[in-house]
Amino acid sequence: MFPADRLREIAFLGRSNVGKSSLINALTGQKKLAFTSGTPGRTQTINFYRIDGSFYFVDLPGYGYARVPPAYLLEWKKLIDGYLQSRETLELSCLILDARRGWMEKDLELKRWLEHHGREYLVIATKIDKLSQSEQERGLRALRQEGVEPLPFSAVTGRGVREIWQAITKTPRPR
């Protein structure tokens, strides 16, 4: 089910409809590589996108609200947990937050899980273009209260693409 070629992987994690697929599309410069939708819960499997033949971007199903039966949500959780726990080629997790919403309990649980398991991660604040300058400052300040420096991103303007790429390339390789 997962690629067996041992290329390193960058995972994109976050609530449903937070902009994971849009971020992947912006980073690759391909508008329709990862499927995007205004309806939460459209990504229902783990999707691997091979980038330049050297690594994968991994788009995981969102957690939180999605109009699917509870059994689907449980299967997604098992799938994601299994991937995060056992994937040796996972180099970096990008924890995606909607800048307008800030930290929610499931985001904090995931952050704590990543830290507990020694997984490298970035926090990316999406939809930054939907906030005024003062709202952006306030929102980013609130995200920093959890001891991280969020990278602001907008799929509309492209803000943050260069900085996110820089952070990805500086990440140490898995042991």
Side-chain angles (χ1 to χ4, degrees), residues 117-169:
H117 288 88
R119 292 289 194 178
E120 292 285 331
Y121 70 94
L122 299 173
V123 173
I124 299 171
T126 61
K127 306 184 183 189
I128 202 80
D129 56 281
K130 298 183 184 298
L131 299 173
S132 70
Q133 187 64 36
S134 63
E135 290 170 328
Q136 287 178 32
E137 291 169 11
R138 196 169 33 257
L140 293 172
R141 191 169 39 252
L143 294 177
R144 288 184 190 107
Q145 289 180 345
E146 286 298 320
V148 297
E149 184 57 41
L151 297 170
F153 169 73
S154 167
V156 174
T157 67
R159 177 180 174 186
V161 168
R162 187 181 80 247
E163 293 82 359
I164 294 166
W165 268 117
Q166 287 172 345
I168 288 171
T169 58

Side-chain angles (χ1 to χ4, degrees), residues 81-101:
D81 287 351
Y83 172 80
L84 290 174
Q85 286 183 27
S86 65
R87 200 68 178 156
E88 293 175 11
T89 50
L90 176 59
E91 177 179 302
L92 178 68
S93 294
C94 295
L95 176 51
I96 315 302
L97 304 174
D98 184 328
R100 302 169 300 173
R101 310 281 180 257

